[in-house]
C-alpha cells in the first residue's frame, strides 16, 4: 500500500471506517475548493450590496452560482466514479481477488452476489445517465452564455458585471469545469461497461439473461 492509498480516517483518527484515501483527497481538493470559492463569491454578490443599501446583484450571482454548481457536479462525479474506496471499485477489487481463489461450495452465495452486483449496475447506470445529461446541459448553457456575452450583451447593455469580459471568463470557466465533469462521467461509463462485461462472462450467465436485461433497460 502506497502513501496515497492510505485512508484519511486511519491517518487522522485510526478508528473510523475507511471511505476516502489521501489520493482521493487530492482529486477532490480542486473541484471542492472551487465550489466553495464560487459559493462565497455568490454570497458576496448578494450580501455586499445590501450593506450599502443597494439591490443584490442577482445576474452576477447567478453566473457565478452556475460555475459553482458545475464544480459541485464535478466533485460528486469524482467521489462516485473516481474514488478508490467507492462501493463500485471495492466490489471490483473484491471480485478480482476472489476469482484468484478456489471455492467450490458457495454456488448459492455466488448467485446472490451476482444478483446484488446486477442491481448495483442498474443503479450505477442511472447515476451515470444523470451526470451525463447534467454535464451536457451545463456545457451547452455555458457555450450559449459565452457567445451571448461576447457578441451581443455589450450592445444590449446586458452585462452581468461592469464589463462583459468578466462574464465571458466565468462562462468559459464553467465550460471547462463541465467538460472535465463529462470526462469523469465517461471514465465511469468505461468502468461500468467493463464490469458488465465481466458479469456476463460468469458461469451460469446465459445470453438470454443479457437479452432480458437489455429489454428491461430500454424505456
Amino acid at each position: 500500500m502506497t502513501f496515497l492509498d492510505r485512508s484519511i480516517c486511519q491517518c487522522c483518527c485510526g478508528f473510523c471506517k475507511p471511505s476516502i484515501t489521501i489520493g482521493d483527497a487530492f482529486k477532490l481538493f480542486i473541484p471542492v475548493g472551487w465550489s466553495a470559492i464560487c459559493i462565497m463569491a455568490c454570497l458576496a454578490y448578494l450580501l455586499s450590496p445590501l450593506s450599502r443599501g443597494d439591490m443584490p446583484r442577482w445576474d452576477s450571482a447567478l453566473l457565478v452560482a452556475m460555475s459553482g454548481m458545475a464544480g459541485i457536479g464535478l466533485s460528486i462525479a469524482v467521489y462516485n466514479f473516481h474514488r478508490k474506496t467507492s462501493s463500485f471499485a471495492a466490489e471490483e477489487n473484491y471480485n478480482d481477488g476472489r476469482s484468484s481463489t478456489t471455492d467450490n461450495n458457495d454456488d448459492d452465495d455466488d448467485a446472490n452476489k451476482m444478483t446484488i452486483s446486477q442491481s448495483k449496475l442498474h443503479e450505477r447506470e442511472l447515476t451515470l445517465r444523470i451526470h451525463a445529461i447534467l454535464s451536457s446541459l451545463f456545457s451547452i448553457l455555458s457555450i450559449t452564455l459565452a457567445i451571448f456575452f461576447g457578441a451581443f450583451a455589450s450592445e444590449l447593455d446586458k452585462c452581468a458585471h461592469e464589463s462583459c469580459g468578466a462574464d465571458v471568463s466565468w462562462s468559459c470557466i464553467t465550460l471547462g469545469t463541465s467538460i472535465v465533469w463529462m470526462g469523469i462521467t465517461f471514465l465511469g461509463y468505461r468502468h461500468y461497461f467493463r464490469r458488465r462485461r465481466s458479469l456476463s462472462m460468469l458461469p451460469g450467465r446465459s445470453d438470454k439473461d443479457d437479452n432480458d436485461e437489455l429489454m428491461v433497460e430500454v424505456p
Side-chain angles (χ1 to χ4, degrees):
M1 178 184 293
T2 63
F3 173 76
L4 295 178
D5 292 332
R6 296 184 60 186
S7 172
I8 292 179
C9 292
Q10 290 178 348
C11 294
C12 300
C13 305
F15 58 85
C16 57
K17 184 178 179 180
S19 58
I20 298 179
T21 64
I22 296 177
D24 297 331
F26 279 112
K27 296 176 188 176
L28 291 167
F29 177 76
I30 293 179
V32 172
W34 176 249
S35 301
I37 292 174
C38 291
I39 292 173
M40 290 186 291
C42 183
L43 292 176
Y45 280 123
L46 296 176
L47 299 179
S48 295
L50 293 177
S51 63
R52 301 190 301 266
D54 299 329
M55 292 294 295
R57 299 175 59 181
W58 292 103
D59 47 359
S60 302
L62 288 175
L63 191 62
V64 175
M66 190 178 72
S67 183
M69 286 187 290
I72 292 174
L74 174 59
S75 303
I76 296 174
V78 172
Y79 184 83
N80 287 338
F81 311 137
H82 212 261
R83 184 167 51 97
K84 184 177 179 62
T85 55
S86 64
S87 60
F88 200 65
E91 182 188 357
E92 281 190 344
N93 294 334
Y94 170 80
N95 288 324
D96 290 341
R98 194 173 187 276
S99 62
S100 61
T101 62
T102 57
D103 190 0
N104 298 324
N105 299 321
D106 294 330
D107 292 340
D108 293 337
D109 189 54
D110 289 341
N112 292 332
K113 284 185 171 60
M114 188 172 67
T115 302
I116 295 174
S117 298
Q118 292 170 7
S119 64
K120 287 185 177 180
L121 279 177
H122 289 302
E123 294 176 1
R124 179 53 58 97
E125 182 185 15
L126 178 60
T127 305
L128 286 168
R129 188 177 301 172
I130 293 173
H131 278 272
I133 293 173
L134 290 178
S135 60
S136 300
L137 289 177
F138 270 87
S139 299
I140 295 173
L141 182 58
S142 58
I143 291 174
T144 304
L145 289 176
I147 295 174
F148 172 76
F149 287 119
F152 306 105
S154 58
E155 298 179 358
L156 299 174
D157 194 20
K158 295 295 183 181
C159 296
H161 293 80
E162 294 182 359
S163 65
C164 290
D167 302 331
V168 175
S169 299
W170 277 106
S171 300
C172 291
I173 292 173
T174 305
L175 176 60
T177 306
S178 302
I179 291 175
V180 178
W181 184 5
M182 292 176 63
I184 296 297
T185 304
F186 171 77
L187 292 177
Y189 264 114
R190 189 177 66 176
H191 295 159
Y192 163 78
F193 285 118
R194 183 189 306 167
R195 178 63 184 147
R196 181 171 178 175
R197 189 162 50 247
S198 64
L199 272 179
S200 65
M201 297 173 61
L202 288 176
R205 182 83 170 165
S206 63
D207 295 336
K208 183 178 180 300
D209 295 333
D210 295 333
N211 294 331
D212 291 341
E213 276 192 7
L214 290 175
M215 292 176 63
V216 170
E217 291 174 4
V218 174

